[in-house]
């Protein structure tokens, strides 16, 4: 849908927020904390940004965007080209980082990873759950939305690295806490450190969202395999170095996709038969073992599986 930039604000060094309203004045679809949207810019650039406004607001959405100097151009476009009154195309919300019900939450955010956490905090408040937030960044001036967080008092710990050093994850997560879910979003080293500290916690207690693909270790060199798109009646070979998504497109199919790097979940496809080697950054270990779906932009057939049958 076409949306107008109603307001643009500088939230921190290198971070801007955009408040977006429907160009036709319509009511926005509902969404839940943790959701993100695709934003399409000039030249067909598509990027995913977490919604960080109030889910009950049917008039406007807000996103926060960090300028990434080594990025692929999306954040620079937002920072340099988008201003109040400009129009961008925004997709419907999708949620791969949903806030499940719990008696207590521990939120951990690094840098721009605070964006999906903001509406989660509001939801936890409304549900009457206990919660705390540990929010880290390079410096206080680089950390967005800190002003909003002051309303929550000592439940929020803002820890700029240049003032306090690395986040004290041992104190926060070193002892498993029954009935507690941990939601973490931020750079890969932070997420790895959180997972390491939570090795003794119950399975499923940690939920993470990544803005960049995690490092995947593969079991030996890739091999070609056969894929059958069961719904379409098309069978084709997936060569080494080519994704299932690309092969689908080359055979006239039009699967949904966005990031092509296994982080957004748009291309998630049901596995009818066969086993996938999962290379995405979304599925949990249990979901990978279930072999119910795969992200066809990055995942391949498991070694020794010569054929995948997909619902596409």
């Amino acid at each position: 849908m076409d949306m107008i930039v109603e307001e643009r604000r500088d939230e921190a060094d290198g971070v801007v927020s955009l408040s977006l309203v429907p160009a036709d004045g319509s009511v926005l679809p509902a969404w839940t904390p943790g959701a993100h949207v695709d934003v399409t810019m000039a030249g067909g650039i598509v990027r995913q940004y977490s919604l960080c406004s109030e889910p009950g607001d049917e008039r406007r959405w807000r996103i926060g965007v960090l300028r990434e100097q080594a990025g692929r151009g999306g954040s620079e476009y937002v920072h340099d080209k988008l201003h109040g009154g400009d129009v961008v195309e925004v997709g419907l919300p999708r949620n791969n980082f949903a806030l499940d019900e719990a008696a207590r939450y521990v939120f951990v955010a690094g840098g721009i990873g605070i964006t999906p956490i903001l509406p989660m905090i509001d939801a936890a408040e409304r549900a009457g759950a206990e919660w705390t937030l540990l929010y880290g960044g390079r410096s206080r001036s680089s950390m967005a939305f800190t002003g909003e967080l002051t309303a929550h008092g000592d439940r929020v710990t803002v820890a700029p690295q240049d003032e306090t050093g690395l986040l004290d994850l041992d104190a926060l997560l070193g002892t498993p806490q029954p009935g507690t879910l941990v939601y973490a979003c931020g750079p890969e080293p932070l997420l790895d450190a959180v997972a390491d500290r939570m090795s003794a916690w119950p399975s499923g207690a940690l939920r993470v969202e990544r803005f960049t693909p995690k490092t995947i270790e593969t079991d030996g060199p890739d091999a070609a395999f056969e894929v059958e798109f069961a719904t379409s009646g098309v069978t084709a070979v997936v060569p080494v170095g080519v994704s299932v998504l690309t092969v689908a497109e080359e055979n006239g199919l039009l699967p949904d996709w966005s990031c092509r790097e296994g982080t957004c979940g748009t291309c998630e496809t049901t596995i009818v038969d066969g086993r996938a080697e999962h290379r995405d950054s979304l599925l949990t270990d249990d979901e990978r073992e279930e072999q119910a779906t795969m992200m066809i932009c990055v995942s391949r057939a498991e070694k020794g599986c010569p054929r995948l049958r997909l619902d596409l």
Side-chain angles (χ1 to χ4, degrees), residues 54-159:
E54 166 56 52
D57 189 341
E58 298 178 333
R59 183 175 179 271
R60 66 176 57 78
W61 288 341
R62 184 180 66 170
I63 60 174
V65 182
L66 168 70
R67 179 191 287 273
E68 298 188 44
Q69 302 293 349
R72 296 172 295 160
S75 67
E76 289 191 357
Y77 183 89
V78 171
H79 278 254
D80 296 340
K81 303 294 185 181
L82 287 185
H83 301 280
D86 289 341
V87 177
V88 290
E89 182 182 345
V90 182
L92 295 176
R94 297 193 307 275
N95 200 337
N96 302 309
F97 193 42
L99 185 70
D100 289 338
E101 185 177 346
R104 185 173 187 273
Y105 301 98
V106 173
F107 299 115
V108 182
I112 198 62
I114 190 63
T115 50
I117 302 298
L118 293 175
M120 290 185 177
I121 288 173
D122 291 339
E125 282 276 281
R126 289 193 300 271
E130 297 180 30
W131 64 269
T132 60
L133 165 67
L134 179 59
Y135 177 21
R138 296 186 309 277
S139 63
R140 194 173 296 272
S141 64
S142 72
M143 299 170 68
F145 307 111
T146 53
E148 295 180 20
L149 293 168
T150 58
H152 299 295
D154 60 6
R155 283 176 294 182
V156 174
T157 299
V158 175

Side-chain angles (χ1 to χ4, degrees), residues 167-184:
L167 298 181
D168 190 355
L169 298 177
D170 290 319
L172 183 68
L173 303 171
T175 302
Q177 303 169 32
T180 300
L181 292 180
V182 178
Y183 281 79

Side-chain angles (χ1 to χ4, degrees), residues 7-75:
E7 182 182 19
R8 168 183 164 136
R9 294 185 57 182
D10 292 322
E11 301 289 354
D13 293 345
V15 179
V16 297
S17 68
L18 302 179
S19 291
L20 306 168
V21 297
D24 61 3
S26 61
V27 172
L28 287 167
W31 59 279
T32 54
H36 66 268
V37 293
D38 289 346
V39 178
T40 302
M41 300 162 231
I45 296 174
V46 181
R47 295 293 182 267
Q48 297 79 43
Y49 298 110
S50 296
L51 292 172
C52 59
S53 46
E54 166 56 52
D57 189 341
E58 298 178 333
R59 183 175 179 271
R60 66 176 57 78
W61 288 341
R62 184 180 66 170
I63 60 174
V65 182
L66 168 70
R67 179 191 287 273
E68 298 188 44
Q69 302 293 349
R72 296 172 295 160
S75 67

